Amino acid sequence: MITSKLPNVGTTIFTTMSQLAAETGALNLSQGFPDFDGPQGLRDAVVRHINSGHNQYAPMTGLPALREQVAAKVARQYGARVDANSEVTITPGATEAIFCAVQAVVRTGDEVIVFDPSYDSYEPSVELAGGRCVHVQLDARNFSIDWQKLADALTPRTRMIILNSPHNPSGALISSADLEQLAQLIEGRDIYLISDEVYEHLVYDGVRHASVLANEALYSKAFVVSSFGKTYHVTGWKTGYVIAPPALSAELRKVHQYVNFCGVTPLQWALADYMAACPEHVEQLPGFYQAKRDLFCDLLTPSRFSFSRVAGTYFQLVDYSQIRPDLNDVDMALWMTREHGVATIPVSVFYQTPIPEQRLIRLCFAKREETLREAAKKLCVI
Ligand SMILES: Cc1ncc(COP(=O)(O)O)c(C=O)c1O
């Protein structure tokens, strides 16, 4: 019998809910992916590059043209001057970037702080590196960082902190003042950061994303991760990037070259072309997704769910305490899928220690207008 290295990992709720949605014919607002395609020009570019012979291994660090586009974008967006050669690495998805960053830094016995509710790939990555996650709960009212709890969790073994803003599942944002506070807290300590910013362009109501790239002190110790999948509506392309200072990038690349070696070549060519031809895409994204958020929230207003509009991401949290307070959120999600035809994600799965009285589910609004209308109709009669 093999002894599992990850005994606590089973089938994730994302797979379970998507399968159940498919079996029951429910609308799938569970897993985070759009039900529409990425830009036509981007898809055409992939076909063009496949047909023009860009089908062999890309450079290990990523196609230079794409790394340059990423460097130009973060200069425009955050005023960050990063070197495309030594600081930008293209990866097969943000997930691989996170995994490699953890392996590059975390050693046996190290502690890594994650904020609950937290994305599910962090903990297994840390465990495989021989480290241990220390879970610090975000303030349950607004999902902000409780600075005292964070300060209390720091020990001489703390090697890394994983930030995620805009935050999945809550949609909450970290502000530049938060980043300043964090910089002060870890100053002089041997602590690195992963800043998971895959939803960096999905920030609403005129607010600008506060990137770790714009905070010099934090960036000197950080791996900043993003995902073309989220930004260009192509989650299935599993293409992302990580930006880190040269010494950290060099260590990350040592891992990356033996996990995957490189990302998919024609996708990288297509993204480089499209970013050069259409830099306005990222400027238009907040408006594009804010319209979806607002449509969905307006349609849900007559329902018995309570919610406040999310500040970022393409997820809307809703509280169902007025509907079925007797059900925990996993049972609520299963019941809603089977009985009401809408698949969602229970928020408790993002916690090490769920909050027993919490009654929250996550709905993905990266959907066509007709899907959102149909879903809202079903949600309004629950
Ligand atoms: C917070 C967060 N980080 C990372 C990822 C993974 O991104 P990718 O699909 O590029 O690996 C996701 C995807 O859902 C996410 O929500």
Side-chain angles (χ1 to χ4, degrees), residues 93-95 98 119 122 164 168 196 198-199 227 230 235 238-239:
T95 310
I98 292 163
Y119 186 61
Y122 306 152
N164 171 215
N168 176 10
D196 179 347
V198 299
Y199 301 103
S227 172
K230 310 289 180 190
T235 58
K238 290 301 289 186
T239 304

Side-chain angles (χ1 to χ4, degrees), residues 214-225:
N215 184 306
E216 234 174 273
L218 288 182
Y219 177 62
S220 70
K221 300 163 152 206
F223 299 88
V224 179
V225 173

Side-chain angles (χ1 to χ4, degrees), residues 14 31-33 91-98 118-122 163-169 196-199 225-230 234-241 313-315 350 362:
F14 307 100
Q31 216 173 346
F33 58 80
T91 58
T95 310
E96 199 242 12
I98 292 163
S118 63
Y119 186 61
D120 67 342
S121 87
Y122 306 152
L163 295 176
N164 171 215
S165 176
H167 179 245
N168 176 10
D196 179 347
E197 303 184 10
V198 299
Y199 301 103
V225 173
S226 191
S227 172
F228 298 108
K230 310 289 180 190
V234 287
T235 58
W237 289 14
K238 290 301 289 186
T239 304
Y241 63 83
T313 77
Y314 48 44
F315 300 114
F350 296 86
R362 190 196 77 176

